[in-house]
Amino acid sequence: MTDAFIPKNIIVTGGCGFIGSNFVHYVVNNHPDVHVTVLDALTYAGNLENIKPLLGDQVEFVHGNICDAQLLDELVPGHDAIVHYAAESHNDNSIADPEPFLKTNVEGTFRLIEAARKYDVRFHHVSTDEVYGDLALDDPAKFTEETPYHPSSPYSSTKASSDLLVRAWFRTYGLRMTISNCSNNYGPYQHVEKFIPRQITNIIEGIRPKLYGDGLNVRDWIHTEDHSSAVWTILTQGRLGETYLIGANGERNNLTVLKDILRVMGQPEDAFDWVKDRPGHDRRYAIDATKLRTELGWKPTHTDFESGLRATVQWYVDNPQWWEPVKAATEAKYKAQGQ
Ligand SMILES: NC(=O)c1ccc[n+]([C@@H]2O[C@H](COP(=O)([O-])OP(=O)(O)OC[C@H]3O[C@@H](n4cnc5c(N)ncnc54)[C@H](O)[C@@H]3O)[C@@H](O)[C@H]2O)c1
């Protein structure tokens, strides 16, 4: 038996980032009666262009920081849910400078759950499968909701910390909350620092793509639209206090994904360079989403990775004005790290 919840007026934190903005598009396309207030600090990873065409009666934008308790006191009353995507999200950045990750991912989540509890607003916390650490390549196991936390990087340890805060606020204060831990997303509006967009935009610019380590690290890819539908399902049908893993059986190693991208873009499959590995690079992630599928009846629609990848490549080809302004600085940062 699930708690049916019909939201009317939600706050989406981080709604100008990759996954948050895709979620805002998803709500506009599928739930025209739901008002969305996007709260976003517009860090280097946020881009108002992602949601600009949607702004109007249904979608409102507030420029602000989730660590700002006073702003939350003004903003949260009157809303019936917070869907929390805002985060520092890039592992490599967390290794170079962990502090903003502590601030946004831990303190920011703390401020939000305090506001949610004060104004009795339902809270959905968007998290990652990286909190579970990694699996061996030859291990038949996948992550489940019962897998112990074992985060490897500053990024994943701050996400794990925020998950634990949200759980404690349920147990201690009765915060009406749910958590989702999702695998790696791909799709439009993803920053060019991330693996798939970096490779695509390198190829468009005539730069040879770079592959970390031996390229055999496995990620469990899911299209961001499927992540959105899963979050919506959990928000509206999930049981309070529960965690749901989100995944679409998309396990692929990085070498295979890079070869897929090269093939889709008409390049030879060996037209890339090997570079040194990321320190502490997790070997394999894999999600068992049985609970979400059986309990809430969710299923992904983008089950053909190659066709989702083709559409994603096409999006970057069609939208150079979106990524070109940040491309050179992103590559310069990688170059300084030898990657
Ligand atoms: N990218 C993935 O594959 C993936 C997978 C699973 C879970 N997640 C989780 O999904 C969420 C979104 O990830 P993403 O890839 O879209 O990230 P992103 O880096 O693309 O976007 C983050 C957004 O949050 C905003 N933001 C950052 N700090 C803020 C602050 N202090 N106050 C207000 N806004 C702030 C940024 O401006 C940006 O718009 C994160 O919580 C991440 O942990 C991501």
Side-chain angles (χ1 to χ4, degrees):
M1 189 60 191
T2 58
D3 308 290
F5 171 65
I6 304 167
K8 286 275 167 238
N9 194 10
I10 66 176
I11 293 174
V12 176
T13 72
C16 295
F18 164 45
I19 308 181
S21 64
N22 275 287
F23 180 75
V24 178
H25 282 265
Y26 173 84
V27 174
V28 168
N29 292 335
N30 295 281
H31 303 283
D33 49 339
V34 176
H35 184 268
V36 179
T37 305
V38 171
L39 172 61
D40 199 297
L42 296 179
T43 68
Y44 81 97
N47 188 340
L48 190 54
E49 294 302 319
N50 299 3
I51 58 161
K52 217 173 216 167
L54 309 179
L55 295 178
D57 288 347
Q58 191 185 354
V59 180
E60 180 190 338
F61 173 65
V62 174
H63 187 195
N65 199 304
I66 57 169
C67 298
D68 183 344
Q70 197 182 330
L71 170 66
L72 296 179
D73 266 334
E74 290 159 21
L75 192 65
V76 173
H79 291 87
D80 49 23
I82 298 171
V83 185
H84 176 33
Y85 287 93
E88 287 292 337
S89 70
H90 191 39
N91 266 310
D92 289 314
N93 291 345
S94 81
I95 295 165
D97 181 13
E99 195 162 338
F101 289 71
L102 270 293
K103 186 89 185 147
T104 287
N105 300 0
V106 182
E107 185 191 332
T109 302
F110 162 67
R111 297 287 172 212
L112 285 167
I113 54 180
E114 279 292 84
R117 141 170 118 94
K118 191 165 166 187
Y119 299 107
D120 191 22
V121 168
R122 185 161 172 146
F123 190 79
H124 180 75
H125 182 59
V126 176
S127 193
T128 165
D129 60 356
E130 299 189 27
V131 298
Y132 299 113
D134 59 356
L135 298 159
L137 292 184
D138 59 357
D139 187 343
K142 296 185 174 200
F143 299 136
T144 73
E145 288 78 6
E146 274 71 50
T147 304
Y149 274 31
H150 200 71
S152 314
S153 73
Y155 163 65
S156 54
S157 58
T158 58
K159 291 298 292 188
S161 307
S162 64
D163 292 10
L164 298 182
L165 289 174
V166 177
R167 286 186 188 170
W169 260 237
F170 170 74
R171 172 90 188 248
T172 305
Y173 303 113
L175 177 73
R176 291 183 297 125
M177 69 73 165
T178 43
I179 298 177
S180 54
N181 296 81
C182 187
S183 58
N184 283 58
N185 284 220
Y186 72 99
Y189 301 112
Q190 188 170 27
H191 196 282
V192 293
E193 69 188 355
K194 301 288 180 6
F195 181 72
I196 288 181
R198 184 180 183 209
Q199 313 297 10
I200 295 171
T201 53
N202 274 355
I203 296 168
I204 295 173
E205 292 212 319
I207 304 168
R208 278 169 75 84
K210 314 274 187 291
L211 189 63
Y212 284 6
D214 61 8
L216 299 182
N217 305 61
V218 171
R219 299 293 175 260
D220 191 351
W221 292 99
I222 182 172
H223 194 278
T224 187
E225 211 170 83
D226 286 329
H227 187 181
S228 293
S229 69
V231 166
W232 183 262
T233 302
I234 298 164
L235 174 70
T236 55
Q237 297 171 50
R239 279 183 294 141
L240 293 177
E242 292 293 314
T243 291
Y244 296 86
L245 262 54
I246 305 173
N249 296 329
E251 275 188 71
R252 268 181 177 66
N253 71 37
N254 290 344
L255 178 60
T256 307
V257 173
L258 179 52
K259 285 183 172 177
D260 287 344
I261 294 170
L262 285 160
R263 196 178 55 255
V264 162
M265 298 185 74
Q267 303 291 314
E269 285 193 349
D270 60 354
F272 66 89
D273 294 327
W274 302 94
V275 291
K276 75 169 180 160
D277 210 352
R278 165 194 292 160
H281 200 178
D282 281 339
R283 207 55 178 152
R284 171 174 162 252
Y285 304 136
I287 290 267
D288 177 348
T290 303
K291 180 176 174 183
L292 174 62
R293 286 172 183 258
T294 55
E295 189 180 304
L296 305 184
W298 172 85
K299 52 180 190 308
T301 58
H302 295 269
T303 46
D304 177 357
F305 179 76
E306 177 141 343
S307 87
L309 186 64
R310 275 184 193 283
T312 304
V313 167
Q314 197 56 50
W315 189 86
Y316 285 91
V317 169
D318 291 344
N319 291 282
Q321 79 294 341
W322 187 87
W323 55 266
E324 270 174 355
V326 296
K327 180 66 183 166
T330 305
E331 283 308 308
K333 213 155 121 187
Y334 273 120
K335 197 168 177 200
Q337 294 167 8
Q339 293 165 326

